[in-house]
Amino acid sequence: MKEYQTISEISGPLVFVEIDEPVGYDEIVEIETPEGDQLRGQVLESSEDFCAIQVFEGTGGIDRNASVRFLGETLKMPVTEDLLGRVLDGSGNPIDGGPEIVPDERQDIVGAAINPYSREYPEEFIQTGVSAIDGMNTLVRGQKLPIFSGSGLPHNDLALQIARQATVPEEASEEGENGEDDEGSEFAVIFAAMGITAEESNEFLEDFERTGALERSVVFANLADDPAVERQITPRLALTTAEYLAFEKNYHVLVILTDMTNYCEALRQIGAAREEVPGRRGYPGYMYTDLAQLYERAGRIEGVEGSVTQIPILTMPGDDDTHPIPDLTGYITEGQIYIDRDLNSQGVQPPINVLPSLSRLMDDGIGEGLTREDHGDLSDQIYAAYAEGEDLRDLVNIVGREALDERDNTYLDFADRFESEFVDQGFETNREITETLDLGWELISMLDTAYLNRIDEELIEKYYRQDVSADDAEDEASEDSETAEAAD
Amino acid sequence: MSQAVDSETESEAVIRSVSGPVATATGLDAKMNDVVYVGDEGLMGEVIEIEGDVTTVQVYEETSNVSPGEPVRNTGSPLSVDLGPGMLYSIYDGVQRPLTVLEEQMGAFLDRGVDAPGIDMEDTWDFSPTVEEGETVESGDIIGTVPETESIEHRVMVPPDAEDGEVTSIAEGEYTVEETVCELDSGVEISMHQEWPVREARPTVDKNTPTTPLVTGQRIQDGLFPIAKGGTAAIPGPFGSGKTVTQQQLAKWADADIVVYIGCGERGNEMTEVIEDFPELDDPQTGKPLMARTCLIANTSNMPVAARESCVYTGITIAEFYRDMGYDVALMADSTSRWAEAMREISSRLEEMPGEEGYPAYLAARLSQFYERAGNFENINGTDGSISVVGAVLPPGGDFSEPVTQNTLRIVKTFWALDADLAERRHFPAINWDESYSLYRDQLDPWFQENVAEDWPEVRQWAIDTLDEESELQEIVQLVGKDALPDDQQLTLEVARYLREAFLQQNALHDVDTYCEPEKTYRIMQAIQTFNDEAFEALEAGVPVEEIQSIDAAPRLNRIATTEEYEEFTEDVETDIEEQLRAKY
């Protein structure tokens, strides 16, 4: 292990060192300041006689006399099942006062790409108990489904609700009842906080403790006042742990990454310090690749029981989903859940706007044998009806409700009830999927069957609620049958 | 990739610096675009810049822990693909390493430094000659055939760069791809295996104007915005607009002989879906497995960025090889934006002067070079073959004015504009009919007139006009409400609604609806037109518009698409519409 005292330049989070023996790209470095502080960093660029090092904890306290040691290996995460129940800092050191972690293995945090041929396509339904997700944007095991939110919106409450309630319903679960509780399979939550406030972090930890979720969780906390550069490794440590638990210990792991916006800011900060050519809005040109290397570490592998499911959370600057962070994220992840400011101010909990939300893996995770035969058609129809109701609201603002015909008014009522009954369930309510679907039928039955063009006729016969439609659409329906008779 | 295995080791070439996917080396005697092997692990890379003694290499694999001073080995040849029987059914990464072989050698996670040839060198194939001893053959000529898959006959050709000559020996039998199947008096020994540098187009004689449509089985594409065999199309779409499903539908149902599907920088799970789905599907034309005509290239977003840059070239070179045999090839690139971003990423590592939005100044040139490799060609062996290219473009933030979309639109002739708004309403395929266009319509009309219906262009024009009118009326409706419109305009809206719901929407997940032959496409349009004509006649006869809208036969138009035996059903619907409307006056 070679030690140098040849720092030539310190700039932002970067340290440039003159060296006489080559070091590997990405290699880990230890820096000792004259005060005796130990800092860690990583080689960003390596040439024959000098290298650039990015210091995770920030360069504060480093001067040109600090000593630099190259460890000859890339950054590794010590992994073991004992990590469950522990709280670690953003660099992976325990901060909960618990015993030292004795690792089973030390794994490279960069993580190799999964061969697409070895992947198993995710199609196991995860019940989150949230109707707007289960019914309309179903999450499946091995999916990466981000929450697109804005500052001041309750995305954390939603994430917590999902972490608390997520289960795989019995009939869909492959392994049956070998788990410790009635959930059927061993479930673990990995929570990686990047640059969130101490208050937010406490909110998470308290909730984890309150519900007993902590014992099946690993928490990585890089808080707002921790070094920004550290944010680069926090999610990688978390995902390495997740992969270990999933693919070697057969856990079903749910990874919550919050807040990806802070992660990207850190990426930009380092890019700027390195004087790289910036891409859109100053973010580095390789941000897509970098984000993909995180998000793509979700999935299932053929022949392995476990799975990694990701819920990254990001706050869109200015609620703008064309901003590079949500934009690039949306291109990599398999859908997105939008938290909506208007719904939030109306008091809808969780304020999920289902129209722009999407789960790309939904179609294969639902239906007969997985959720219920009517799920796909029903959600399509609700989407269409809600979209139409939304459109009509604009019109109502101009011409008023009286100017609309009965059909349009029904759609408006539908949209209102959809928000107040289907979406607004509260952060504490856990709904079974059948409950969600039945509620969907109750609402869609406000519409006359003639308008249900996306639902198979047999399903309409089986599930359509005559009792509901009778009140609202009676007149219309009788009118229809009269004219039809007249035509015959 | 296998060309490096037997090449000599250059001495003294060592790595000078490493930064991400870009490394520099000194002491390397290399040409531009030579393939080199970097470091102790032998990571594959390509020379992209030479300055004095310093050679810059883009590395196709992860470079963690590679350090200066490690050796660099030059192969002396540019990045090439292995061409020969065995490419169909295959799934490759961006540098043509079969993913199945990689899984065998390194397990579920992609490790580094593994080399694998693109086609199996040990497999034997049943070769039957089509020329005889004594015949003179020229470069490119077909000398024999091999049954490559149940649907494709592989045609063994004289390599394009080989000398002409008289066949001195050729025999039927089982051969591996490397064994000589034919010898010429000029000393040329021909095997089934060819290598070709990916960045160079394979030679052809001439490019002809395409006049046959690539039938896609998708109503909006065949019906309103057709693409020709040998044509180019772009699918731009913001995320969530169903771009990948649209691409996959084309790959599944397009009536090409060969399909090359490139997943460039896309999601792992999505590629897995393709890899799992395709082998289970049958080709609607032949009933044979779809994979028997398909070659997949999967370089997901977290696989090395340099291999992402090369994967479109790998794909189109494979497509050209089959075109040379006289086949119609359809190539789907999903997506070209990821490819352009890979260029940008490498360019910025090289500290090149950036052009628009950080993209390199040569972006437009590279894009047009790629799309120009599409076309309807006369091959050097006299056969005709075509390559149709459908490229997906991902405009960041849905902004079509960004450089990749703009440069692509300057080249392609068909544009299927995906629309997030339509997708939100679950109108799929979410192709916006106002913004999309096809410049092939006129040259393809004769084909449709001859093969489907004489009045195809008129019916199509009627549908387009109706939809146009609807767009205009919608603006008014937004302001004053539907009921304020005169009756005839309300009726137009009703007809347009059926066009949207019964014709434009197509359910990719429905067993029947997923593929719609041109006859059915035409029939649905025609049925809606029947409703239109009858309805307007009724209106003229004084029937109130509400009553016209309320007939129960019309909503059945929506069910034609999902009905397998549609002919009779459609006729019934038309008759009922006619009867019910005429009963009112």
Side-chain angles (χ1 to χ4, degrees):
Chain A
M1 197 188 301
K2 188 91 182 176
E3 194 164 329
Y4 295 92
Q5 281 188 311
T6 49
I7 294 178
S8 59
E9 189 186 334
I10 304 168
S11 152
L14 302 186
V15 170
F16 297 86
V17 187
E18 284 167 15
I19 47 176
D20 52 19
E21 246 175 52
V23 295
Y25 174 72
D26 259 0
E27 198 170 290
I28 285 303
V29 186
E30 274 181 9
I31 300 175
E32 198 177 328
T33 65
E35 281 81 46
D37 289 341
Q38 288 277 353
L39 303 171
R40 286 200 302 170
Q42 192 173 15
V43 175
L44 273 190
E45 193 172 334
S46 167
S47 344
E48 274 162 342
D49 46 10
F50 101 101
C51 74
I53 298 163
Q54 143 189 340
V55 185
F56 300 136
E57 290 91 346
T59 45
I62 301 180
D63 66 6
R64 294 187 56 192
N65 297 321
S67 65
V68 179
R69 274 192 304 275
F70 294 94
L71 302 188
E73 59 166 27
T74 51
L75 192 55
K76 302 266 197 300
M77 172 72 201
V79 285
T80 157
E81 254 179 294
D82 297 338
L83 281 169
L84 289 167
R86 301 299 302 267
V87 181
L88 315 171
D89 70 6
S91 300
N93 307 308
I95 48 168
D96 54 0
E100 201 173 311
I101 290 160
V102 186
D104 282 354
E105 267 177 62
R106 289 158 46 75
Q107 290 188 342
D108 206 316
I109 68 157
V110 176
I114 303 176
N115 186 332
Y117 184 73
S118 311
R119 277 180 187 266
E120 193 172 319
Y121 190 68
E123 42 198 8
E124 268 180 300
F125 165 64
I126 296 181
Q127 179 177 303
T128 64
V130 180
S131 292
I133 296 177
D134 290 350
M136 310 296 289
N137 298 287
T138 317
L139 178 68
V140 296
R141 273 184 188 171
Q143 186 174 13
K144 38 196 180 296
L145 187 65
I147 298 177
F148 283 13
S149 183
S151 10
L153 294 178
H155 41 263
N156 290 340
D157 296 308
L158 177 62
L160 276 170
Q161 187 177 15
I162 295 171
R164 206 165 50 226
Q165 299 179 349
T167 58
V168 175
E170 280 308 318
E171 65 261 52
S173 162
E174 278 170 25
E175 60 261 82
E177 316 222 351
N178 54 4
E180 326 164 87
D181 43 27
D182 54 350
E183 272 166 26
S185 54
E186 288 200 77
F187 210 77
V189 176
I190 298 209
F191 177 72
M194 290 158 279
I196 66 170
T197 61
E199 211 169 310
E200 283 175 303
S201 160
N202 287 340
E203 189 192 335
F204 273 103
L205 284 175
E206 272 161 26
D207 196 86
F208 278 3
E209 271 168 34
R210 178 173 66 87
T211 57
L214 188 61
E215 64 187 60
R216 51 169 190 154
S217 309
V218 190
V219 176
F220 292 84
N222 165 287
L223 300 184
D225 55 351
D226 287 337
V229 186
E230 195 183 69
R231 276 161 216 164
Q232 290 243 284
I233 56 168
T234 308
R236 294 189 161 82
L237 295 171
L239 288 165
T240 307
T241 312
E243 279 173 350
Y244 171 79
L245 289 175
F247 302 134
E248 288 180 36
K249 298 291 170 189
N250 293 328
Y251 281 87
H252 291 295
V253 186
L254 179 68
V255 184
I256 299 175
L257 303 169
T258 180
D259 175 329
M260 289 309 293
T261 307
N262 295 333
Y263 172 83
C264 295
E265 296 293 338
L267 210 59
R268 177 163 70 175
Q269 189 181 338
I270 293 154
R274 291 179 65 190
E275 297 175 4
E276 290 169 346
V277 181
R280 227 164 37 111
R281 298 221 190 166
Y283 292 95
Y286 50 80
M287 192 157 88
Y288 177 79
T289 307
D290 194 277
L291 285 174
Q293 278 168 353
L294 296 182
Y295 296 141
E296 278 293 335
R297 293 172 78 176
R300 310 199 53 192
I301 292 180
E302 216 159 306
V304 181
E305 197 70 61
S307 62
V308 177
T309 309
Q310 274 188 31
I311 302 192
I313 299 174
L314 53 91
T315 46
M316 299 181 282
D319 291 353
D320 171 15
D321 64 3
T322 66
H323 184 280
I325 299 171
D327 193 51
L328 294 181
T329 298
Y331 277 125
I332 306 164
T333 54
E334 285 132 354
Q336 63 278 329
I337 304 287
Y338 275 84
I339 304 279
D340 189 83
R341 205 170 284 279
D342 286 343
L343 287 177
N344 186 48
S345 57
Q346 285 167 34
V348 174
Q349 287 182 333
I352 296 174
N353 185 357
V354 300
L355 287 180
S357 299
L358 171 74
S359 165
R360 291 165 183 275
L361 302 183
M362 174 169 177
D363 291 326
D364 296 288
I366 60 170
E368 212 169 346
L370 295 156
T371 55
R372 210 166 73 183
E373 51 186 349
D374 55 320
H375 193 160
D377 284 1
L378 176 65
S379 82
D380 273 358
Q381 189 68 58
I382 294 181
Y383 259 114
Y386 183 52
E388 181 146 9
E390 269 279 310
D391 276 356
L392 288 166
R393 282 181 181 166
D394 296 339
L395 187 58
V396 167
N397 287 337
I398 302 168
V399 300
R401 260 194 108 127
E402 297 71 31
L404 299 183
D405 63 15
E406 193 147 5
R407 176 181 178 276
D408 289 352
N409 272 306
T410 317
Y411 273 93
L412 280 168
D413 290 336
F414 171 82
D416 290 341
R417 282 189 64 191
F418 176 75
E419 282 167 9
S420 62
E421 293 174 37
F422 193 88
V423 182
D424 187 9
Q425 62 178 86
F427 287 116
E428 297 297 329
T429 314
N430 188 354
R431 281 194 194 141
E432 293 285 322
I433 178 68
T434 45
E435 239 177 292
T436 295
L437 295 177
D438 289 344
L439 180 58
W441 275 105
E442 192 185 320
L443 297 178
I444 206 73
S445 299
M446 293 167 71
L447 308 178
D448 191 84
T449 46
Y451 299 129
L452 304 187
N453 57 337
R454 297 179 193 232
I455 307 183
D456 207 88
E457 271 165 350
E458 281 170 32
L459 295 173
I460 294 182
E461 206 146 293
K462 187 165 169 192
Y463 292 103
Y464 188 76
R465 297 268 298 271
Q466 296 296 347
D467 52 330
V468 181
S469 65
D471 306 329
D472 296 317
E474 197 175 27
D475 308 340
E476 207 176 348
S478 58
E479 228 174 71
D480 277 358
S481 59
E482 266 167 38
T483 44
E485 271 162 30
D488 289 338
Chain B
M1 283 310 90
S2 65
Q3 67 264 51
V5 185
D6 49 6
S7 69
E8 55 191 277
T9 309
E10 297 280 332
S11 54
E12 282 156 49
V14 292
I15 302 175
R16 181 165 162 272
S17 72
V18 190
S19 165
V22 173
T24 59
T26 52
L28 191 69
D29 181 22
K31 304 183 293 293
M32 271 299 266
N33 295 343
D34 274 359
V35 169
V36 295
Y37 286 80
V38 176
D40 295 331
E41 289 173 272
L43 309 179
M44 193 171 134
E46 186 179 355
V47 174
I48 52 172
E49 197 176 86
I50 300 171
E51 202 182 336
D53 188 35
V54 181
T55 310
T56 307
V57 177
Q58 65 174 355
V59 185
Y60 291 123
E61 295 177 83
E62 180 68 44
T63 52
S64 278
N65 224 10
V66 172
S67 55
E70 289 183 25
V72 180
R73 209 154 47 83
N74 184 17
T75 63
S77 50
L79 183 62
S80 309
V81 285
D82 294 308
L83 301 167
M87 293 192 292
L88 301 176
Y89 273 110
S90 287
I91 304 160
Y92 294 121
D93 77 350
V95 285
Q96 213 208 5
R97 298 182 302 179
L99 289 176
T100 42
V101 176
L102 296 186
E103 188 188 36
E104 274 165 35
Q105 297 192 1
M106 35 193 200
F109 289 90
L110 292 169
D111 216 339
R112 313 192 293 194
V114 176
D115 214 5
I119 48 178
D120 196 315
M121 297 294 167
E122 259 105 69
D123 260 6
T124 56
W125 298 92
D126 211 353
F127 174 80
S128 338
T130 51
V131 292
E132 283 169 16
E133 281 171 28
E135 269 184 61
T136 305
V137 293
E138 294 174 8
S139 62
D141 280 359
I142 294 165
I143 53 164
T145 62
V146 165
E148 184 173 356
T149 66
E150 42 277 66
S151 30
I152 296 300
E153 174 193 79
H154 189 96
R155 294 167 190 155
V156 180
M157 296 171 291
V158 181
D161 45 7
E163 251 177 85
D164 304 352
E166 201 173 281
V167 177
T168 53
S169 91
I170 187 163
E172 201 176 327
E174 297 254 312
Y175 297 91
T176 67
V177 290
E178 286 188 305
E179 281 171 336
T180 303
V181 293
C182 172
E183 282 174 39
L184 304 185
D185 63 352
S186 53
V188 175
E189 294 185 349
I190 299 164
S191 70
M192 293 180 240
H193 176 218
Q194 292 192 16
E195 277 180 25
W196 194 262
V198 296
R199 295 182 200 279
E200 197 181 312
R202 286 174 68 88
T204 53
V205 177
D206 207 0
K207 211 173 189 178
N208 299 324
T209 309
T211 52
T212 318
L214 183 73
V215 175
T216 62
Q218 310 304 306
R219 284 189 290 275
I220 181 160
Q221 278 140 323
D222 290 343
L224 303 187
F225 311 106
I227 175 178
K229 283 201 173 89
T232 51
I235 309 183
F239 64 76
S241 56
K243 157 197 64 73
T244 300
V245 177
T246 310
Q247 283 271 38
Q248 290 179 5
Q249 283 296 96
L250 293 177
K252 283 176 190 167
W253 307 122
D255 71 337
D257 299 315
I258 305 282
V259 171
V260 178
Y261 187 91
I262 308 171
C264 171
E266 284 298 299
R267 303 177 180 88
N269 281 331
E270 223 158 65
M271 279 323 295
T272 306
E273 188 186 13
V274 173
I275 292 168
E276 283 182 11
D277 264 15
F278 277 34
E280 285 170 19
L281 295 169
D282 290 334
D283 182 345
Q285 273 88 37
T286 60
K288 308 265 174 60
L290 205 56
M291 279 303 282
R293 61 162 200 181
T294 308
C295 172
L296 296 175
I297 296 172
N299 206 83
T300 59
S301 56
N302 56 339
M303 283 156 81
V305 64
R308 197 188 310 157
E309 194 271 331
S310 67
C311 68
V312 295
Y313 294 108
T314 301
I316 197 135
T317 311
I318 292 173
E320 283 175 343
F321 188 60
Y322 283 101
R323 174 210 61 201
D324 286 349
M325 297 178 203
Y327 286 119
D328 293 318
V329 186
L331 180 137
M332 322 287 159
D334 184 13
S335 76
T336 55
S337 289
R338 298 287 163 250
W339 169 49
E341 277 164 20
M343 275 190 249
R344 173 168 74 180
E345 200 169 320
I346 289 158
S347 157
S348 93
R349 299 260 183 193
L350 292 175
E351 298 179 354
E352 290 173 342
M353 183 72 80
E356 216 179 331
E357 293 202 17
Y359 285 102
Y362 46 78
L363 173 74
R366 293 272 172 92
L367 279 170
S368 48
Q369 273 165 12
F370 169 69
Y371 280 106
E372 270 307 285
R373 289 171 77 168
N376 180 17
F377 291 95
E378 189 187 332
N379 294 321
I380 49 175
N381 55 22
T383 56
D384 287 325
S386 71
I387 300 179
S388 320
V389 173
V390 180
V393 186
L394 314 169
D399 168 19
F400 285 0
S401 68
E402 60 92 38
V404 182
T405 314
Q406 282 307 311
N407 284 311
T408 304
L409 287 185
R410 283 216 298 272
I411 309 159
V412 302
K413 296 180 81 178
T414 305
F415 180 67
W416 295 316
L418 290 176
D419 187 330
D421 208 42
L422 289 174
E424 252 175 45
R425 285 150 206 275
R426 299 302 187 261
H427 175 116
F428 289 116
I431 297 174
N432 184 312
W433 49 93
D434 287 332
E435 287 176 35
S436 302
Y437 58 79
S438 166
L439 302 180
Y440 295 111
R441 266 185 204 154
D442 294 342
Q443 71 206 61
L444 296 179
D445 273 347
W447 187 92
F448 282 110
Q449 283 174 310
E450 193 175 317
N451 291 282
V452 187
E454 193 46 49
D455 62 346
W456 175 280
E458 289 80 30
V459 176
R460 181 190 59 212
Q461 197 53 48
W462 166 80
I464 292 173
D465 291 345
T466 308
L467 289 166
D468 278 350
E469 205 176 332
E470 186 201 26
S471 307
E472 280 166 31
L473 292 175
Q474 283 296 358
E475 284 171 24
I476 306 173
V477 170
Q478 287 298 324
L479 291 175
V480 300
K482 196 162 89 181
D483 296 336
L485 293 182
D487 284 358
D488 60 329
Q489 294 187 341
Q490 287 193 39
L491 200 52
T492 304
L493 286 179
E494 182 78 357
V495 173
R497 187 168 67 82
Y498 282 117
L499 275 176
R500 281 189 285 113
E501 290 177 0
F503 178 71
L504 296 179
Q505 287 187 24
Q506 189 168 356
N507 186 350
L509 300 169
H510 192 282
D511 291 341
V512 176
D513 200 18
T514 185
Y515 176 79
C516 184
E517 64 262 33
E519 288 76 15
K520 189 171 173 183
T521 296
Y522 170 76
R523 201 64 189 87
I524 296 178
M525 264 198 285
Q526 209 187 19
I528 301 172
Q529 201 182 18
T530 306
F531 170 69
N532 175 73
D533 298 348
E534 291 293 332
F536 274 98
E537 244 165 70
L539 190 71
E540 249 165 63
V543 184
V545 69
E546 293 79 22
E547 273 187 44
I548 298 175
Q549 285 172 0
S550 68
I551 59 163
D552 65 358
R556 275 163 55 212
L557 287 168
N558 286 334
R559 312 233 178 237
I560 303 177
T562 51
T563 307
E564 197 166 3
E565 306 293 335
Y566 67 92
E567 285 108 339
E568 205 179 313
F569 183 81
T570 315
E571 263 167 47
D572 284 351
V573 173
E574 283 179 330
T575 323
D576 289 354
I577 289 175
E578 209 178 287
E579 279 174 9
Q580 291 181 5
L581 283 174
R582 290 191 183 175
K584 291 182 189 290
Y585 58 93

